[in-house]
Structure formats: structure tokens, C-alpha cells
Amino acid sequence: MKDFLKFILKLFLTFVATSVIAFISMMMCLSADIDFSIKMIFGLFFIAFILYLAFNAGRNKGEDDTKNNVYKSYKGLLASFLTMIPAIVLTILYMALTYKGWNGDNRIIADMVYMILYLIFLSFTPVLSSFVSFNPAFSIDFAQPAITILKNITTPNAVFAPMFFIPAILFIVAVSFGYFYGHKDRKLLKETVNKLKNNK
């Protein structure tokens, strides 16, 4: 159990560190007066960066667990899911707050939750916004009130609330696949070593 909690903490710190690096870089990129396609390229680069480190963390753990004979097929999936629980909860909360529009008592809270989500997943926003065929600021359901607060970077990068699930799911998939890949890689190595020993 202690080892599992350490794995979750490592994943969380990995996500925080990559998100901070991406946030600093993407904030400058999105605030600059440059073509949207360039912002998209920057976003894709940092998405790949975040997912690679997530995959690598899962792979290292999968190799280590296989080496120590404590590999569990569900561990990568469960650990990455628990790591993303805060983001998933915030997304569900935001959807609940804005389900009937953002006018009313919920607006301030909705603004705050949206800004947190938007800034956490800043590197994903150019890509996610490309799938939005309308401006969420003018929609009724799942509106995006914070666009008026962060208009300098969000106006061309509006994100539809349920899309915040996508970065969380991608992180979970990257870690889970990495964990499985690490297990398979280490298992193959052990089998190869055993064969060589048996042939001697």
C-alpha cells in the first residue's frame, strides 16, 4: 500500500511539474500575437511532452514491479485515475455549476473553477478549442463565463466544459500503457536471461 501511494504521489508530482513548465511556456505563446496554427503546434509539443513523461513514469514503475514480482495489471490504471481525481471532480463541478447557464449565484464560483481547469490544461486548449464550432461564452448549457476574465488568451481558445475530461483521460491512458509496456519489457528481458542460463 505504501509503495502504491508513493507511485500516486510520483505521478501527481510529474503532472504538476510538466503542467507548470507547459503553463509558463504556453501562457507566453497564447498571449502573443501569432498565428493560431503556431499556437496549435506549441500545444501539441507540450501535450506530447506531458504524455511522454506520464508514459515513462508508468513504464519505470511497471519494470520495477515486474522485477520485484509485485506487478498488478490494474495498478497503472488505478494510480493514474486517482492522480486525475481532482481534475475530474473539478470538471464535473464546473458542468454542474453551468448546466443551466452561468447567470446567477453560481457565476463567481464557475469562473474560478473554469480558470483553474483552463490553466491546469493550458497546453491542451488550442487543440481542444479547434473542436469547438461555437463560442461557449454565448451558449446556454455548459457556458464559459471566464472568457470575459481571460479574454486576452481565451477568446480564440474557448473550451467546451466536457472537453476537460480529454486531458485527464489521455494522462490515464499514457500511464496505464506505460505501466503495461514496462511490465512486458522487463518480463521479456527476464525470459531471455533465463533462456541464456538454461542453454549454458
Side-chain angles (χ1 to χ4, degrees):
M1 186 63 178
K2 184 178 179 180
D3 180 63
F4 182 64
L5 292 176
K6 285 174 66 176
F7 181 36
I8 295 174
L9 179 60
K10 183 177 180 180
L11 288 177
F12 182 76
L13 293 176
T14 297
F15 177 73
V16 170
T18 53
S19 295
V20 168
I21 294 171
F23 167 77
I24 294 171
S25 302
M26 287 301 297
M27 181 64 80
M28 293 186 291
C29 173
L30 294 176
S31 299
D33 186 20
I34 56 178
D35 190 74
F36 181 75
S37 60
I38 297 177
K39 296 178 181 180
M40 178 79 79
I41 292 171
F42 268 91
L44 289 171
F45 172 80
F46 281 107
I47 289 172
F49 171 67
I50 292 169
L51 295 182
Y52 172 75
L53 290 184
F55 168 83
N56 197 51
R59 182 183 64 184
N60 290 339
K61 185 60 177 173
E63 289 180 349
D64 190 54
D65 282 0
T66 304
K67 180 181 177 181
N68 297 317
N69 297 315
V70 292
Y71 173 82
K72 302 292 181 183
S73 59
Y74 60 83
K75 189 182 288 187
L77 176 64
L78 183 58
S80 56
F81 174 76
L82 292 175
T83 302
M84 286 290 105
I85 281 290
I88 293 171
V89 169
L90 283 173
T91 302
I92 294 172
L93 175 61
Y94 181 72
M95 291 171 64
L97 289 171
T98 59
Y99 180 69
K100 294 184 178 180
W102 49 268
N103 291 318
D105 298 334
N106 294 333
R107 181 171 181 176
I108 295 176
I109 299 174
D111 276 354
M112 292 173 60
V113 174
Y114 177 82
M115 281 193 291
I116 292 170
L117 282 168
Y118 187 89
L119 296 177
I120 288 173
F121 297 120
L122 191 61
S123 57
F124 290 84
T125 56
V127 178
L128 295 179
S129 66
S130 66
F131 295 100
V132 180
S133 59
F134 59 92
N135 189 336
F138 301 110
S139 67
I140 296 175
D141 296 336
F142 304 120
Q144 191 240 85
I147 197 169
T148 57
I149 298 174
L150 297 173
K151 61 183 179 180
N152 64 315
I153 59 173
T154 63
T155 301
N157 303 305
V159 177
F160 196 44
M163 287 185 173
F164 284 119
F165 284 121
I166 295 174
I169 291 171
L170 289 175
F171 184 86
I172 292 169
V173 170
V175 173
S176 301
F177 180 67
Y179 186 72
F180 176 74
Y181 182 86
H183 161 67
K184 283 292 186 181
D185 199 37
R186 175 60 69 170
K187 184 179 179 183
L188 181 62
L189 179 62
K190 288 174 70 175
E191 290 173 352
T192 302
V193 170
N194 289 334
K195 285 181 181 179
L196 290 173
K197 288 180 177 179
N198 293 331
N199 290 332
K200 288 184 178 180

